Amino acid sequence: MNDKYKIPYMNACIRAFARRFHLPIKNAFLYLYRFKGVDFLNEFYESEHLQSIDDAVDDLVIVCQKNGGLLT
């Protein structure tokens, strides 16, 4: 993680995901970790951080659904 803003960005995305689905932050993280959302944020940070947090959450929903997640 070369960019000093990467972890704060990922944290903001996880918190926004938790708010959207009315989840505790820990549960949101565990869900995103299990269904590859955290991996997605890490791998595609360079392009994702240029978009809004809401767009990133939309992308996380799609990625997690493709990996077996059931939240919509």
Side-chain angles (χ1 to χ4, degrees):
M1 292 196 185
N2 300 345
D3 190 325
K4 69 179 183 178
Y5 299 109
K6 192 172 196 177
I7 291 174
Y9 170 78
M10 292 174 72
N11 186 28
C13 290
I14 292 166
R15 288 175 178 273
F17 186 89
R19 270 193 308 276
R20 181 177 295 182
F21 292 103
H22 308 287
L23 296 171
I25 295 168
K26 180 180 179 180
N27 290 2
F29 170 78
L30 292 172
Y31 176 88
L32 291 171
Y33 184 80
R34 178 175 180 193
F35 296 110
K36 309 298 184 205
V38 173
D39 292 339
F40 170 79
L41 287 175
N42 188 39
E43 184 175 347
F44 295 101
Y45 169 77
E46 292 300 323
S47 59
E48 284 293 312
H49 86 281
L50 300 174
Q51 301 177 35
S52 72
I53 297 291
D54 287 333
D55 287 342
V57 172
D58 292 341
D59 292 343
L60 286 169
V61 170
I62 293 166
V63 167
C64 290
Q65 285 176 339
K66 287 182 179 182
N67 288 296
L70 299 176
L71 290 177
T72 57

